[in-house]
Amino acid sequence: MESIKDKVAIIGMGCTKFGECWDLGLDDLAIEAAYEAYEDASIDPKDIQACWFGTVTAPVTGIGATHGVNPLKLRIPMTRVENWCITGHETLRNACFGVASGMYDIVLALGVEKLKDTGFPGLGTGRGMGPVLEARRTSPGSFSLIATRYFYTYGLSPEEGKTTIGKIAVKNHNNGSMSPKAHFRNKITLEQVMNAPIIAWPLGLFDCCGNSDGAAAAILVPASQAKKFRVDPVYIKGLGQSFDPLLPHARPKFDWLNWDALQNSSRQAYEQAGIRNPREELNIAEVHDCFTITELIIYENFGFSAQGKAKEDIDAGFFELFGGLPVNADGGLKCFGHPVGASGLRMTYEVYKQIQGKAQTPERQLKNVKLGLSHTFGGPPQVSAVAILGRDLG
C-alpha cells in the first residue's frame, strides 16, 4: 500500500462561524466556506474540477450533492460523502485521492451541516445497531461507560476521575474563548464543571459538546504544483481510517479503554507520515472531544500518553495551549459544537492556520508549528479518521 505523504497539498481553506445559524441555510453556509477557501487559494470557482461534499442529516438521503451544486453553480463531478461523525475527514480523504490519482489538478472538499433547525437534541438514540444484542443507548450514556471503566481500572475515586476529565473541559473552554469562529466563547471554572447538571454520570453538562451549525472547505492540488498558488501551502503527510465491526463493546474481552479504530487509524497515519513518537513529534492535535472522557482515551490510544497515565499529563498541563502538545487549541468540539459533516474539515482548518502562523488572534498562535494532526471518531463509536498535515516537503 502506498503512502499519501507529500502527494497532495492544501492551498486554501475556509470556515464559517459555528453556532445557531437560524438566519442561514445550508446553501448560505456552503457559499461562505467555499468562497473563503477560493479567496485564500487565489483561484476562481471555475478552476475547480471536482468536488466532494460531506453532510449527514440535511436532508437525510435521496438528493446527493444538491446542496453543494445549487449554491456554488459548479457543473463538475460532485459526490456526496457520509460516514458517521468522520464525514468531514472522509470528504477531505476522498478529495485527496482524487488529486493523488492524477485524475484532477484542483478539487474542493466541502463539509456542511445544520443541526439546530432539525430539533435534534444531541443525546441521540442511535447507539446499539443490533436489536438482538441491546436496545438503543444515548450518546452520553455510551461514553459515560468509558469513563466509569477508566476510573475503575486505574483506581481513581469518582471525585478524582470527574476532576480529571473536568480539567479537559476547562482547558478547551479557555482555548475557545480566544477563537472568533467558536460557538461557545466562555471560560469556565472547574467548580462550574463539577457542579453542573449530570447528563449521564459522570458526564455533566460541561463534559458534553453541543449541537451547532457550520461549514468548512479545503482546496487541494498536487503537491508539486502547490507553490504556484502560494508560498505557504500545507502538505498532506498521512491519512488513516479504521472501521470496527459493529458493536465493538459486544466483543469478548473488550475493555472500553483500547479502541481498535482509534489505534489503527492513528497507526496508519503515523506510518505514512514517518512519525515514531507522536508525543514528541507533533506540534498540535485537534481530536474528537465529543465528551471529555473521549479526549482522555484518545490521548492514550494515540500514544500521546502512556496507558493509565493521562491523568498525570492533564495535571501537568501537558495538553494546554502552550504545553508540550497543545490539544484542541481552538476549543475543540466543546466550543464549536459538532455539525457532523463540517467538523473534520473545521479541525483541519485549525491545523492549517496554525502551521501557516495565521491563527485569527495573536494570543492563540502557537510557535513554529511544523506538524499537526486532526481527528474525528464516530458511530456507537466504531469508526475513526486521522489526517496529518505538515509545513515542509520531505
Side-chain angles (χ1 to χ4, degrees), residues 6 53 79 90 111 115 140 152 182 218 261 283 342 347 349 376 378:
D6 291 340
F53 175 73
T79 303
E90 280 287 45
L115 294 178
Y152 170 80
N283 306 120
M347 299 156 94
Y349 176 88
T376 41

Side-chain angles (χ1 to χ4, degrees), residues 14 20 26 64 88 90 97 105 111 113-114 134 141 148 180-181 197 211 224 230 233 237 284-285 330 380 387:
E20 297 182 350
L26 272 178
E90 280 287 45
F97 294 156
D105 291 325
E113 205 80 61
K114 273 187 70 66
E134 65 174 329
T148 51
K181 296 188 177 185
N211 277 342
S224 59
R230 65 183 308 143
K237 298 293 183 179
I284 181 175
D330 62 355

Side-chain angles (χ1 to χ4, degrees), residues 191-341:
E191 183 180 16
Q192 286 178 288
V193 178
M194 298 294 283
N195 294 324
I198 292 296
I199 306 300
W201 202 94
L203 303 178
L205 181 66
F206 291 113
D207 292 295
C208 309
C209 81
N211 277 342
S212 297
D213 305 326
I219 308 291
L220 307 170
V221 301
S224 59
Q225 300 180 27
K227 286 290 182 75
K228 297 178 183 177
F229 295 91
R230 65 183 308 143
V231 297
D232 56 352
V234 171
Y235 300 97
I236 302 294
K237 298 293 183 179
L239 295 172
Q241 197 259 44
S242 182
F243 214 131
D244 274 353
L246 200 59
L247 296 176
H249 44 282
R251 294 200 300 266
K253 298 183 179 179
F254 180 69
D255 65 2
W256 291 89
L257 306 177
N258 291 281
W259 294 80
D260 289 349
L262 290 175
Q263 295 174 5
N264 289 336
S265 60
S266 59
R267 174 183 50 76
Q268 292 166 18
Y270 294 159
E271 287 179 356
Q272 292 170 34
I275 293 175
R276 296 185 176 181
N277 186 343
R279 178 183 173 95
E280 298 297 329
E281 295 178 58
L282 290 170
N283 306 120
I284 181 175
E286 289 283 307
V287 305
H288 194 88
D289 60 322
C290 53
F291 301 97
T292 49
I293 186 61
T294 322
E295 183 171 321
L296 185 150
I297 64 164
I298 290 168
Y299 295 159
E300 298 188 358
N301 279 264
F302 277 14
F304 299 170
S305 297
Q307 286 288 320
K309 300 296 184 182
K311 180 179 183 303
E312 295 178 14
D313 285 329
I314 292 168
D315 291 343
F318 187 75
F319 300 114
E320 293 181 3
L321 189 58
F322 296 106
L325 173 55
V327 173
N328 291 328
D330 62 355
L333 300 181
K334 276 293 295 132
C335 292
F336 277 81
H338 185 23
V340 184

Side-chain angles (χ1 to χ4, degrees), residues 368-391:
N368 196 27
V369 179
K370 297 180 180 178
L371 205 58
L373 174 151
S374 67
H375 162 252
T376 41
F377 185 37
Q382 65 180 138
V383 59
S384 173
V386 172
I388 296 177
L389 281 64
R391 186 183 67 186

Side-chain angles (χ1 to χ4, degrees), residues 120-188:
F120 178 66
L123 294 177
T125 54
R127 273 70 187 170
M129 302 296 286
V132 175
L133 295 174
E134 65 174 329
R136 298 300 214 190
R137 288 174 285 115
T138 66
S139 183
S142 284
F143 285 84
S144 68
L145 297 174
I146 301 172
T148 51
R149 174 52 67 97
Y150 189 93
F151 300 169
Y152 170 80
T153 302
Y154 295 113
L156 302 180
S157 69
E159 183 170 0
E160 286 176 321
K162 189 160 173 55
T163 300
T164 298
I165 59 176
K167 290 179 180 178
I168 293 173
V170 173
K171 168 184 72 72
N172 289 355
H173 271 268
N174 178 67
N175 295 348
S177 71
M178 295 176 274
S179 296
K181 296 188 177 185
H183 184 170
F184 301 108
R185 300 188 62 195
N186 56 316
K187 292 184 180 181
I188 58 174

